[in-house]
Amino acid sequence: MTLRTDTDVAWAALGGDPALVPRISTVVRDGALPSRLPVREVARACAGACALAAAEWCALRAGLPAVPEVRIDDGAVATAFHSERHLRVDGREPVTFAPLSRFWRTADGWVRTHANYPHHRERLLGALGLAADAPVETVAAVLAERSAAEVEESVYAAGGLAVALRTPEEWAAHEQGRAVAAYPLVARERLDTSPPRPLPPLAGEPLLPAAGLRVLDLTRVIAGPVATRTLALLGADVLRIDSPHLPEIPDQHADMDIGKRSTVLDLTAPADRRTFDDLLARAHVVVTGYRPGALDRFGLSPEHLAERRPGLVMAQLSAWGANGPWGGRRGFDSLVQVATGIAATEGSVERPGALPAQALDHGTGYLLAAAVLRSLTEQTEEGGTRVVRLALARTAAWLMDGAVRDTGRARAAYDGPDPWLTETDSALGRLRYALPPVRLAGGPADWARPPGRWGQDPARWAGTSLGG
């Protein structure tokens, strides 16, 4: 009997043909992403499913007789899942977590906060009744006098980010935990019967499955940008759009926006809104990474978009899922680990731990890109406006309850990231960065362009494109 692997699980969640899974070959490496939980297996499955979805669409566009083979190396995957740590800009190491983004002792347990962005730091300190320049020691003293649940709720009410440590059992009994458990790993929906879009064939080398695809990228931090960064690798014209009022962290931009272009638009300003609407009128894919409902006021709900742009593929990412009492809350990988019992599992209730990488972010990002690619295949063959939804908390549930460790495979060693790192010059300086783990025969091995300066690209599409 053949055991069902995590790659099988991921590919089935995407609605893929199980007969294609053998097109994936794997190099298993001991020492890659070491963890109490099967992180390496989930990471490999997410990258493999993404590469297979790219190969499938590539075969369709290029008229190939068979889907190209896909090769997944645990070393490349592990290095890519640490991409924000491996980044160097002119030799300088990045800042990955701000001083107030950490675990804190409370009166009855632990809480984890996220304050990498200035506005999140201000809201956290405001909720605690502290001055904007309060030192870490003062924050620690205040938190030590409060319960973890009180901190969680008061900081959330102030628009900040703090989550109390829970065990897996406590999360399973929590209303949001139950809502997430009922959520599919990849939620897929067809909204209408709009016709397939014209699809010109691929030409040239390397094979770029997403060549000519126009992607509006409305994401921040890691998971969403990983998805759109992957689509850019595969040839898509990815235009990231940010508000001028929410600047990005420079190191995060350098790592996550390679291969893309970056512009700023204020969707509350009439002129910028007209520019955005013009971009949307020619887009093929819209990827959003804001909390559910946050962009609806701009007419960016799936239902409104389907009316305005039939045949569009929409990909929505959230921390906690769209349902349940936390459906509208902000969240990040580190906080989801704490809520869902991962931190208690990797450490203990007395001393919480963390995954070896922000694997929920990276893994969900590759799954999101895979869901977009599979939706494009389905749209090309059957038509229809497509929506896919993923949540970090649902990926966490898979890691905690469904993923399995390798057994009986030939193995190699993971001797470090060097073979999967490279360097290039850019407008930001000399960059060292992780190479992509998504590889298909005849496909790209690196991005076509380095990141430019944040927000400095024109708000228009570039180059040739797919029809429609």
Side-chain angles (χ1 to χ4, degrees):
M1 182 180 69
T2 301
L3 294 177
R4 198 176 193 215
T5 68
D6 292 308
T7 301
D8 293 319
V9 172
W11 189 243
L14 296 163
D17 180 357
L20 294 181
V21 174
R23 303 299 292 171
I24 303 175
S25 63
T26 304
V27 179
V28 179
R29 295 187 184 272
D30 283 331
L33 299 172
S35 173
R36 292 180 179 178
L37 293 167
V39 174
R40 177 179 60 190
E41 290 79 2
V42 165
R44 179 197 305 145
C46 293
C50 183
L52 186 58
E56 179 189 34
W57 201 41
C58 182
L60 183 64
R61 289 196 63 191
L64 302 178
V67 170
E69 293 184 354
V70 167
R71 181 179 175 85
I72 298 298
D73 191 310
D74 282 351
V77 173
T79 302
F81 271 56
H82 288 111
S83 66
E84 66 275 10
R85 300 183 195 176
H86 292 309
L87 175 75
R88 298 291 184 272
V89 181
D90 289 330
R92 177 183 56 79
E93 292 189 23
V95 177
T96 53
F97 282 99
L100 298 189
S101 296
R102 49 170 278 191
F103 282 107
W104 306 85
R105 272 281 191 190
T106 63
D108 60 350
W110 292 88
V111 70
R112 183 151 190 172
T113 56
H114 195 288
N116 284 1
Y117 289 98
H119 58 291
H120 290 155
R121 173 189 168 91
E122 292 169 7
R123 293 167 186 172
L124 170 64
L125 293 172
L128 300 177
L130 296 174
D133 59 352
V136 169
E137 296 77 13
T138 301
V139 177
V142 170
L143 288 171
E145 297 176 351
R146 302 189 183 185
S147 73
E150 176 193 356
V151 173
E152 180 179 89
E153 290 305 317
S154 62
V155 172
Y156 167 69
L161 293 141
V163 172
L165 179 72
R166 290 174 173 83
T167 65
E169 295 75 20
E170 289 170 335
W171 179 245
H174 191 279
E175 189 175 353
Q176 188 61 36
R178 294 195 299 270
V180 169
Y183 202 75
L185 181 59
V186 180
R188 304 161 55 244
E189 186 178 1
R190 177 175 176 171
L191 296 183
D192 58 28
T193 57
S194 56
R197 289 190 180 280
L199 189 67
L202 293 179
E205 295 182 356
L207 288 170
L208 296 172
L213 194 74
R214 296 184 292 262
V215 179
L216 281 179
D217 178 4
L218 304 175
T219 70
R220 293 172 71 82
V221 194
I222 296 179
V226 163
T228 52
R229 183 178 71 180
T230 303
L231 296 175
L233 166 75
L234 298 171
D237 180 13
V238 179
L239 182 61
R240 173 171 166 169
I241 298 177
D242 286 284
S243 166
H245 309 299
L246 289 175
E248 183 57 283
I249 298 169
D251 288 343
Q252 205 151 260
H253 164 65
D255 177 42
M256 289 294 157
D257 291 332
I258 189 167
K260 312 177 197 177
R261 295 181 300 117
S262 167
T263 195
V264 292
L265 292 174
D266 183 352
L267 297 188
T268 65
D272 280 5
R273 181 54 194 266
R274 287 193 294 272
T275 299
F276 178 82
D277 288 343
D278 288 343
L279 291 167
L280 178 62
R282 300 182 63 216
H284 302 102
V285 176
V286 176
V287 185
T288 66
Y290 293 80
R291 57 193 171 87
L295 299 175
D296 289 2
R297 63 193 174 105
F298 300 114
L300 296 178
S301 69
E303 293 73 22
H304 281 99
L305 288 174
E307 293 177 2
R308 299 170 62 188
R309 184 71 168 137
L312 192 69
V313 171
M314 290 165 276
Q316 296 184 322
L317 172 77
S318 65
W320 308 106
N323 303 316
W326 288 15
R329 291 195 179 191
R330 300 174 180 87
F332 293 96
D333 181 306
S334 58
L335 304 183
V336 174
Q337 290 188 42
V338 172
T340 58
I342 289 175
T345 301
E346 287 295 317
S348 67
V349 173
E350 292 75 27
R351 181 63 63 178
L355 297 177
Q358 295 190 68
L360 305 181
D361 262 332
H362 285 272
T364 307
Y366 288 112
L367 271 185
L368 190 68
V372 168
L373 293 163
R374 285 246 61 252
S375 295
L376 289 165
T377 295
E378 292 173 341
Q379 206 284 334
T380 300
E381 294 178 325
E382 305 166 9
T385 305
R386 308 277 171 163
V387 183
V388 293
R389 297 181 178 90
L390 287 85
L392 301 185
R394 184 58 183 84
T395 304
W398 174 29
L399 176 64
M400 289 287 288
D401 302 323
V404 296
R405 290 199 180 278
D406 290 316
T407 56
R409 289 205 196 201
R411 298 171 184 272
Y414 178 58
D415 297 322
D418 290 351
W420 300 285
L421 296 175
T422 191
E423 294 190 3
T424 190
D425 291 318
S426 76
L428 308 177
R430 182 72 178 174
L431 298 185
R432 187 189 80 172
Y433 61 96
L435 289 166
V438 172
R439 298 289 180 92
L440 61 146
D446 197 354
W447 287 272
R449 51 171 287 167
R453 297 192 181 278
W454 180 82
Q456 295 301 302
D457 289 297
R460 62 173 181 260
W461 296 116
T464 58
S465 66
L466 302 179

